[in-house]
Amino acid sequence: MAFKKAVKGTILAGGGALATILGLSQFAHYRRKQMSLAYVQAAEYVSEPVNKDPPSREAQILTLKNTSEFDVLVIGGGATGCGCALDAVTRGLKTALVERDDFSSGTSSRSTKLIHGGVRYLQKAIMKFDVEQYRMVKEALHERANLLEIAPHLSAPLPIMLPVYKWWQLPYYWVGIKLYDLVAGSNCLKSSYILSKSRALEHFPMLQKDRLVGAIVYYDGQHNDARMNLAIALTAARYGAATANYMEVLSLLKKKDPKTGKERVSGARCRDVLTGQEFDVRAKCVINATGPFTDAVRQMDDKEAATICQPSAGVHIVMPGYYSPESMGLLDPATSDGRVIFFLPWQKMTIAGTTDTPTDITHHPIPSEEDINFILNEVRNYLSHDVEVRRGDVLAAWSGIRPLVTDPKSANTQSISRNHVVDISESGLITIAGGKWTTYRSMAEDTINAAVKAHNLKAGPSRTVGLFLQGGRDWSPTLYIRLVQDYGLESEVAQHLASTYGDKAFEVAKMASVTGKRWPIVGVRLVSEFPYIEAEVKYGIKEYACTAVDMISRRTRLAFLNVQAAEEALPRIVELMGRELNWNESKKQEELETAKKFLYYEMGYKSRSEQLTDNSEISLLPSDIDRYKKRFHKFDTDQKGFITTVDVQRALESINIQMDENTLHEILNEVDLNKNGQVELNEFLQLMSAIQKGRVSGSRLAILLKTAEENLERRVPIPVDRSCGGL
């Protein structure tokens, strides 16, 4: 035992220097190999998974129905709930998990995508001499190292820059970040460092350079949150847990304890959301891991139960990748209202957030325009004046509800600790609430420890430290090369598959359709801008995807990256899912409409579309109005006062460009505000005004007409793909 601890300390303590020598990618590969020595104590006692692949949903439901009694029933399929199921099943407990929606459909898929200890929590711990906050940070830093180890395909270290604009702040922040490294100890990913002004601008050229003194760079982890949550659920299923999404708990079952005569929770009445079928699932212990809905389940047990969660909404936005460097994030430690804003590269896009405001609990949180503009304004403060931060560049936006543990002494949610609470009711219902994404595993361990003790379950200690999640065991940084060489996939697609599915990427590649082109040989994309392929839809069904929303938001991340691209891919996704799941035309249409509604309200499409309406003002200079009128009339050759698809097609043909009619209708529909099948002059001027103000970007009609005007004489072919740029 002492030897193993010594090995672990030696390996991790020298990590920072070694990473400097080898570089991040090589160091990650080296660390993964070496850390297996440190974690052998936990992993060697866990038997191999009982299933090579996760059983089908139908098989899982049969297990739920036919098992006389489980040891543990977990309610909630977020990170914490799935973590509880994995912890329990790997201890040898007969485990079940039910989730009323999809795995990770709530808060766990709507995070900042960071695996971190919490720099600001450490600051509070030091300033207020708060031992609890300090312990939480230290625990989170340990869990950060473990999560990067057990799911290397879904996570990676990320350098984050803290720009400094006052000289006195440089030593202040430097001490704070060095303490962060110190608290991490042997789990420090890489030592933080100071950059001069010139070096900071070299690493982050978009940065506001006026009054910039220098910058401090520290390291945290980043991950694909929904896919990580799913990996935990799939791993639990492979180890024998009966897990089912779209399984709603209607009520808790109770029976009298023969020893005390008191009623004890003994299971749950469940309903299959997809079929309407109801049945009982009995268990010795029931765990409530429902995040923001914690109190609703507690009140199923006891109608008089006091509320213990205070929900807080966190809004994030996604912008084009050119807003940030590919491998460097940014931290704004003190926004105009005291919050913290992260500005991070993610999936080749840029994610910015988050807000932190009290909210009502809902299954369908909606990002507000106020929060979106708050984030944009904070981003403007830190980026160069040369970079125009436009509202139209917000490609997606979402709101996630954090289940914060209530502190009665706190005046606002900002100061509430993210630490978790394990509560056991008089009837034996175990509730796990609070906490943060990074600490899901330790939260699960604490919860199952409490369950074992309270219900006298026969189980050993937790065995999830070092236990590889689905796809992680045989992943390597060069795995994607084999996908390119063996299957003829595009390099970008192969890298995406490797970083999404890990060593399971080969199974997806085997399902890939032939393109009919010289290259790539296989791998038909769902949408041109992103590396998602049709085979992922088929594979996603094996991963318990039941709806089109599951596919665009959590099996792929299209909805979180670009709502327009997600909408564009929807018809094909629904067609492929319908073929696999035997949907009739009515069901396909229902799925299509539900998914569009999800994009419109929950992923920011509504806010985006409201930037240009038939009530939008025209705020243009007279000279601009004349210029845009001339451009309009060049295409409205018949002087009708409006442009149709025929006019656009005629202009394109004059410069030897062909476009199918459906695409032309889509392009005009983006600007046809009164939906009469044509674009009037007033609508065109409203569009150009919105573009000038930055409220709209990527208008294909505006770009097409402008480029055609410039190239009519030269007869140069013009691009018509969706663009993120403005005019």
Side-chain angles (χ1 to χ4, degrees), residues 522-692:
V522 301
V524 178
R525 294 194 181 209
L526 287 168
V527 64
S528 61
E529 303 101 306
F530 295 94
Y532 299 108
I533 60 174
E534 292 183 356
E536 292 180 78
V537 178
K538 300 175 186 177
Y539 192 77
I541 293 171
K542 292 181 63 176
E543 296 180 319
Y544 304 127
C546 300
T547 70
V549 172
D550 297 344
M551 204 64 72
I552 61 174
S553 58
R554 294 174 288 275
R555 301 312 180 277
T556 72
R557 305 311 307 274
L558 266 175
F560 283 81
L561 295 171
N562 189 316
V563 287
Q564 285 186 297
E567 185 183 45
E568 185 179 314
L570 264 177
R572 183 57 179 162
I573 287 173
V574 169
E575 186 63 33
L576 291 168
M577 291 189 75
R579 192 181 302 167
E580 297 293 319
L581 298 173
N582 298 315
W583 290 345
N584 57 29
E585 290 304 315
S586 175
K587 176 63 175 174
K588 289 179 185 177
Q589 189 60 36
E590 178 188 338
E591 285 293 323
L592 196 61
E593 293 304 317
T594 300
K596 286 183 177 180
K597 186 177 179 181
F598 167 78
L599 292 173
Y600 188 73
Y601 289 105
E602 295 186 49
M603 300 310 300
Y605 211 153
K606 180 177 184 290
S607 293
R608 183 179 174 87
S609 63
E610 287 175 349
Q611 301 308 307
L612 179 63
T613 69
D614 53 2
N615 294 320
S616 295
E617 293 182 2
I618 299 173
S619 301
L620 295 168
L621 295 172
S623 58
D624 288 332
I625 292 176
D626 290 341
R627 178 161 55 94
Y628 293 137
K629 278 184 177 180
K630 289 178 183 178
R631 182 179 302 172
F632 181 87
H633 290 308
K634 283 184 180 179
F635 294 91
D636 177 22
T637 54
D638 301 330
Q639 302 299 307
K640 305 181 298 296
F642 58 84
I643 292 174
T644 66
T645 55
V646 174
D647 296 313
V648 178
Q649 186 65 60
R650 185 189 302 136
L652 292 176
E653 287 175 353
S654 70
I655 52 174
N656 301 318
I657 292 293
Q658 296 294 323
M659 191 179 297
D660 65 83
E661 190 172 346
N662 287 336
T663 303
L664 285 172
H665 280 293
E666 286 177 9
I667 291 173
L668 253 69
N669 192 53
E670 293 173 1
V671 190
D672 180 13
L673 304 180
N674 56 16
K675 304 304 176 187
N676 62 354
Q678 57 199 31
V679 176
E680 286 89 2
L681 174 60
N682 195 63
E683 290 174 324
F684 182 69
L685 293 176
Q686 285 175 313
L687 168 66
M688 302 314 296
S689 178
I691 288 174
Q692 274 201 9

Side-chain angles (χ1 to χ4, degrees), residues 72-73 75 252 265-268 283-288 428-430 455:
V72 173
L73 167 62
I75 304 172
L252 297 178
V265 173
S266 59
K284 296 172 185 174
C285 169
V286 176
I287 294 173
N288 171 18
L429 175 68
I430 296 180
H455 294 270

Side-chain angles (χ1 to χ4, degrees), residues 201-369:
L201 292 171
E202 184 179 324
H203 284 280
F204 209 117
M206 310 84 173
L207 200 59
Q208 168 64 267
K209 60 184 178 181
D210 295 343
R211 297 179 288 105
L212 181 67
V213 172
I216 300 168
V217 176
Y218 73 98
Y219 284 77
D220 258 325
Q222 188 177 54
H223 70 153
N224 186 336
D225 54 2
R227 291 296 314 184
M228 185 73 81
N229 193 156
L230 185 62
I232 301 166
L234 294 171
T235 306
R238 289 182 62 216
Y239 274 92
T243 61
N245 55 351
Y246 294 99
M247 189 63 62
E248 181 182 12
V249 170
L250 302 176
S251 61
L252 297 178
L253 305 177
K254 292 188 177 182
K255 67 179 180 182
K256 281 192 177 181
D257 186 332
K259 293 181 180 179
T260 63
K262 294 182 179 179
E263 283 197 330
R264 304 282 289 176
V265 173
S266 59
R269 181 71 175 174
C270 298
R271 182 177 73 91
D272 186 338
V273 175
L274 302 181
T275 65
Q277 188 177 30
E278 296 182 15
F279 56 90
D280 292 340
V281 178
R282 299 195 175 275
K284 296 172 185 174
C285 169
V286 176
I287 294 173
N288 171 18
T290 52
F293 305 97
T294 291
D295 292 319
V297 177
R298 279 167 48 82
Q299 287 162 5
M300 284 184 186
D301 173 38
D302 177 5
K303 291 181 180 179
E304 303 302 320
T307 57
I308 64 170
C309 280
Q310 186 170 325
S312 171
V315 171
H316 295 81
I317 63 174
V318 166
M319 306 177 78
Y322 54 70
Y323 272 95
S324 65
E326 287 185 13
S327 58
M328 180 73 76
L330 185 75
L331 167 64
D332 177 357
T335 62
S336 56
D337 68 350
R339 310 183 216 181
V340 170
I341 289 286
F342 286 98
F343 194 63
L344 311 167
W346 184 68
Q347 302 283 305
K348 298 189 177 180
M349 293 294 185
T350 301
I351 183 172
T354 179
T355 59
D356 194 356
T357 52
T359 186
D360 295 326
I361 295 174
T362 173
H363 289 285
H364 307 288
I366 299 172
S368 72
E369 186 64 22

Side-chain angles (χ1 to χ4, degrees), residues 428-477:
L429 175 68
I430 296 180
T431 295
I432 171 67
K436 54 192 291 187
W437 222 119
T438 306
T439 58
Y440 85 90
R441 193 213 61 81
S442 61
M443 291 166 64
E445 180 180 346
D446 290 347
T447 306
I448 302 304
N449 284 344
V452 168
K453 183 177 180 181
H455 294 270
N456 298 314
L457 304 177
K458 294 180 180 179
S462 176
R463 296 164 181 171
T464 50
V465 172
L467 181 68
F468 281 108
L469 299 183
Q470 169 101 336
R473 181 176 294 278
D474 295 320
W475 174 87
S476 75

